[in-house]
Amino acid sequence: VDKPSLDRLLGPGSKSPQDDKSVDPEKARVQINAMVLRKHFYQLTQVFLLPFGQFFEFETDKNVHLGPRWNPYLELPYLPKFEEQEFLKDVRLHVDQFPIKGLKMQRKNKMVTLYRRFLRSPNFIPWFSSQRDMAKEKMRLYMKSRLVSLRGEHFLRLVCHVSVKRARLVRSRAQKYLDTVVSRPNLDAELRDAITDHLRTLDSLLPPPRKPPAIPQNPKEAKAKQSSRVVDL
């Protein structure tokens, strides 16, 4: 426990900030000290978990999702991949930025060791997975909000300048996303209607798909087929 936290602890015989004579002074002192310690260790835990925050924030290439031209079908959001060795390397390089005062080199090395132990403890995977699940839900809601906002002319302006090839890619991904949405147990009608509207807009813009060229037949085979039709008649 750091010195500021220790200074806030009440020793035996200390007066409680509460001036209620009906409260046992010793009991009040224990409760206040427990509150101080809980707050201290909570803040310490938040500082310790700070480096993991980057893995719970979704992003897109060049962070296009932060701008008005974001097309969710072309620039899909994703969560950064977690790799233990890269993470520990990053901790060692940026440990000076942690809001912990008086962190000497020896303690820095101990912190990296502490992170390594945490990563290999039975508590890490359940905690990390739950945080990732919450991040995925946040990402899903953010993407839904964007798709629902792109209705009519808003979506038309977003796709009218892309090439036919990329427009077909948008349509393919929109169709797959729609199939996923309608297959969920709890149908999101608002999202379904938005994607359906996008598909209609794309179908009105895209030229019809080209038919594959007919395969030329061997003259003898063509004549034999024609003869068989005459016999059938």
Side-chain angles (χ1 to χ4, degrees):
V1 182
D2 58 14
K3 191 176 185 304
S5 297
L6 288 174
D7 291 340
R8 287 195 293 270
L9 295 177
L10 299 177
S14 300
K15 292 184 179 180
S16 169
Q18 298 178 349
D19 198 18
D20 189 351
K21 295 182 179 180
S22 63
V23 179
D24 181 4
E26 183 61 21
K27 185 176 181 180
R29 184 181 69 84
V30 171
Q31 291 176 344
I32 292 172
N33 286 347
M35 183 178 64
V36 171
L37 290 173
R38 278 197 302 269
K39 182 179 180 181
H40 169 73
F41 285 111
Y42 171 80
Q43 293 174 340
L44 201 60
T45 301
Q46 295 305 304
V47 170
F48 179 78
L49 296 177
L50 201 60
F52 294 100
Q54 59 184 309
F55 302 103
F56 310 135
E57 295 291 335
F58 62 88
E59 54 190 45
T60 51
D61 292 338
K62 299 180 182 179
N63 285 328
V64 293
H65 67 287
L66 300 177
R69 302 295 301 175
W70 177 40
N71 186 330
Y73 296 119
L74 289 178
E75 292 89 13
L76 301 175
Y78 60 89
L79 291 172
K81 185 179 180 181
F82 178 82
E83 294 182 355
E84 179 179 327
Q85 294 306 318
E86 287 298 318
F87 172 78
L88 292 175
K89 180 181 177 182
D90 191 59
V91 167
R92 186 179 295 277
L93 290 175
H94 300 97
V95 72
D96 289 329
Q97 300 176 11
F98 289 14
I100 302 177
K101 297 180 180 179
L103 203 59
K104 297 181 180 179
M105 191 62 199
Q106 186 178 5
R107 291 190 62 191
K108 291 179 184 179
N109 293 334
K110 288 183 178 180
M111 280 195 67
V112 174
T113 301
L114 185 61
Y115 277 108
R116 184 180 291 108
R117 290 179 178 175
F118 176 58
L119 295 179
R120 298 173 185 178
S121 72
N123 298 322
F124 174 69
I125 292 180
W127 172 80
F128 189 83
S129 299
S130 68
Q131 295 297 312
R132 292 281 278 197
D133 289 341
M134 287 190 288
K136 289 175 183 177
E137 179 63 11
K138 181 180 177 182
M139 180 172 66
R140 185 189 69 79
L141 293 174
Y142 188 87
M143 187 167 180
K144 174 193 171 179
S145 175
R146 175 61 173 169
L147 291 173
V148 170
S149 69
L150 292 173
R151 303 295 288 267
E153 293 184 0
H154 294 287
F155 184 70
L156 182 61
R157 287 197 297 268
L158 193 65
V159 297
C160 66
H161 68 284
V162 302
S163 65
V164 172
K165 182 179 179 180
R166 287 178 70 78
R168 291 194 189 282
L169 176 61
V170 171
R171 198 204 181 288
S172 173
R173 289 182 175 176
Q175 184 63 58
K176 288 181 180 179
Y177 197 26
L178 178 63
D179 294 342
T180 301
V181 170
V182 298
S183 66
R184 290 171 181 163
N186 298 320
L187 176 64
D188 190 329
E190 185 181 28
L191 183 57
R192 177 202 60 193
D193 294 345
I195 302 174
T196 302
D197 182 71
H198 299 162
L199 289 171
R200 291 197 194 99
T201 301
L202 289 164
D203 288 339
S204 68
L205 294 174
L206 286 169
R210 295 180 180 179
K211 294 182 179 180
I215 301 175
Q217 292 182 333
N218 186 295
K220 293 183 179 179
E221 291 179 357
K223 187 175 182 180
K225 289 183 178 179
Q226 186 177 8
S227 301
S228 66
R229 292 195 191 102
V230 173
V231 173
D232 291 340
L233 293 173

